[in-house]
Amino acid sequence: EVQLVQSGAEVKKPGESLKISCKGSGYSFAKYWIGWVRQMPGKGLEWMGIIYPGDSDTRYSPSFQGQVTISADKSISTAYLQWSSLKASDTAVYYCASGVIITTSFDYWGQGTLVTVSS
Amino acid sequence: EIVMTQSPTTLSVSPGERATLSCRASQSVNSNLAWYQQKPGQAPRLLIYGASIRATGIPARFSGSGSGTEFTLTISSLQSEDSAVYYCQRYNNWPLLTFGGGTKVEIK
């Protein structure tokens, strides 16, 4: 069974750093693109970026380029999303998602990680 | 950058009635369009890809149509469990993606 399991909720202060994770299982993690999607409170889905774990080829939405870093460790089937200096506006639920059966869409999603940034 | 615009923002439909959701692309995306359903507190779920192909396990009452810049998601006979927000997503330049703003479907 394909699963994407994300790390737990985080509460951080502005200016702090953070790295959240998404662990894949039940499929060849390195062979499928895995992306990150932001959902701010009460708002829609925003595509942030995507990585191919096999060679770490990474693409970013222009809106998120330079704001976050996406990485992956194929040896432990885990993708990451990190911030070097959080802002209150980073408060959101972050989803990882992958296209495994349908390789050009996201047919598998993580459960989401709530990140709260507040002083 | 291609912009995806969904309409209406909110749609209120009686059970058993048809719901028609629209998604418009600012440039042609051919048939490289997917639809997702998101219920409160849940991750999105893939409904349709390739503009009109139902994903595995998706009920036949959900159908997608269109190509180029105009797309439609139709729920032929709305059920109470279909209350959700629906998003379109273009992937014509995979792996670069864009979501639409979403349409909330309410049960009247």
Side-chain angles (χ1 to χ4, degrees), chain B residues 54-81:
Chain B
R54 276 190 301 277
T56 301
I58 301 305
R61 66 180 181 273
F62 291 92
S63 63
S65 63
S67 66
T69 61
E70 301 282 345
F71 301 89
T72 300
L73 175 69
T74 301
I75 310 173
S76 60
S77 178
L78 197 73
Q79 308 296 305
S80 58
E81 62 264 33

Side-chain angles (χ1 to χ4, degrees), chain A residues 10-14 18 37-44 46 48 64 83 85-94 113-119:
Chain A
E10 302 274 1
V11 179
K12 292 288 189 179
K13 296 186 182 329
L18 176 64
V37 176
R38 183 175 79 174
Q39 188 165 41
M40 298 176 75
K43 302 298 184 182
E46 298 174 271
M48 302 176 70
F64 292 92
W83 295 259
S85 180
L86 286 160
K87 302 183 284 288
S89 58
D90 292 318
T91 295
V93 174
Y94 294 88
T113 296
L114 174 61
V115 174
T116 303
V117 184
S118 175
S119 54

Side-chain angles (χ1 to χ4, degrees), chain A residues 45-112:
Chain A
L45 305 175
E46 298 174 271
W47 177 72
M48 302 176 70
I50 197 165
I51 187 166
Y52 187 78
D55 62 4
S56 293
D57 184 3
T58 308
R59 317 290 176 87
Y60 293 94
S61 161
S63 300
F64 292 92
Q65 180 82 48
Q67 307 305 307
V68 296
T69 300
I70 293 170
S71 60
D73 184 341
K74 61 184 179 181
S75 70
I76 54 171
S77 300
T78 301
Y80 302 97
L81 177 65
Q82 69 180 85
W83 295 259
S84 58
S85 180
L86 286 160
K87 302 183 284 288
S89 58
D90 292 318
T91 295
V93 174
Y94 294 88
Y95 293 100
C96 63
S98 189
V100 178
I101 308 299
I102 313 302
T103 56
T104 52
S105 301
F106 289 149
D107 51 2
Y108 288 93
W109 292 72
Q111 82 275 22

Side-chain angles (χ1 to χ4, degrees), chain B residues 28-107:
Chain B
S28 175
V29 299
N30 298 309
S31 294
N32 298 302
L33 187 101
W35 290 94
Y36 297 84
Q37 176 194 63
Q38 187 182 31
K39 296 181 179 180
Q42 296 184 17
R45 175 174 71 147
L46 177 66
L47 296 177
I48 301 282
Y49 63 97
S52 63
I53 305 169
R54 276 190 301 277
T56 301
I58 301 305
R61 66 180 181 273
F62 291 92
S63 63
S65 63
S67 66
T69 61
E70 301 282 345
F71 301 89
T72 300
L73 175 69
T74 301
I75 310 173
S76 60
S77 178
L78 197 73
Q79 308 296 305
S80 58
E81 62 264 33
D82 299 334
S83 178
V85 180
Y86 294 82
Y87 297 92
C88 62
Q89 178 208 57
R90 63 107 180 173
Y91 55 87
N92 59 303
N93 193 22
W94 178 268
L96 306 180
L97 310 171
T98 308
F99 286 99
T103 291
K104 184 176 183 179
V105 174
E106 297 177 337
I107 308 299

